[in-house]
Amino acid sequence: MNNMITVKEAAMQAGKEPETIRRGILQGKLPGTPIRSDAGRTNFLIPRKAWDLYMQTGLYPQLLAQCVMQAKTIDQGIAYLRAALTD
């Protein structure tokens, strides 16, 4: 099984346009990493497990970072994540 999915695959699963997926990754609102080539082209690496987690829960990197940064304890971080998932 491939550990990465393409922007096109992610877009099809999410029912969005590929450009929406690219923009979401660049904004930190979707899982993935932009990789800039020497030629100036940007490619996107999307880990399959991170994408599957996003599709199942709606958790994305920026939200996870916010929950961790606000928490003073692990339990508080978990509580923030639970609250984020129910919003």
Side-chain angles (χ1 to χ4, degrees), residues 6-84:
T6 66
V7 168
K8 185 176 178 180
E9 287 175 292
M12 288 175 46
Q13 288 181 15
K16 305 284 183 191
E17 292 295 321
E19 187 55 36
T20 302
I21 302 300
R22 290 184 194 98
R23 190 173 34 253
I25 292 170
L26 289 171
Q27 294 171 349
K29 294 182 177 179
L30 292 175
T33 303
I35 305 293
R36 197 140 180 91
S37 72
D38 291 338
R41 180 183 162 107
T42 302
N43 294 305
F44 295 85
L45 297 177
I46 305 172
R48 185 173 300 279
K49 286 184 180 183
W51 183 257
D52 290 346
L53 177 67
Y54 169 75
M55 291 300 293
Q56 292 172 11
T57 66
L59 291 174
Y60 54 91
Q62 196 173 51
L63 177 61
L64 289 168
Q66 288 170 354
C67 290
V68 169
M69 294 302 293
Q70 291 175 4
K72 294 180 181 169
T73 66
I74 291 173
D75 289 337
Q76 191 177 43
I78 291 168
Y80 287 150
L81 285 171
R82 283 190 180 130

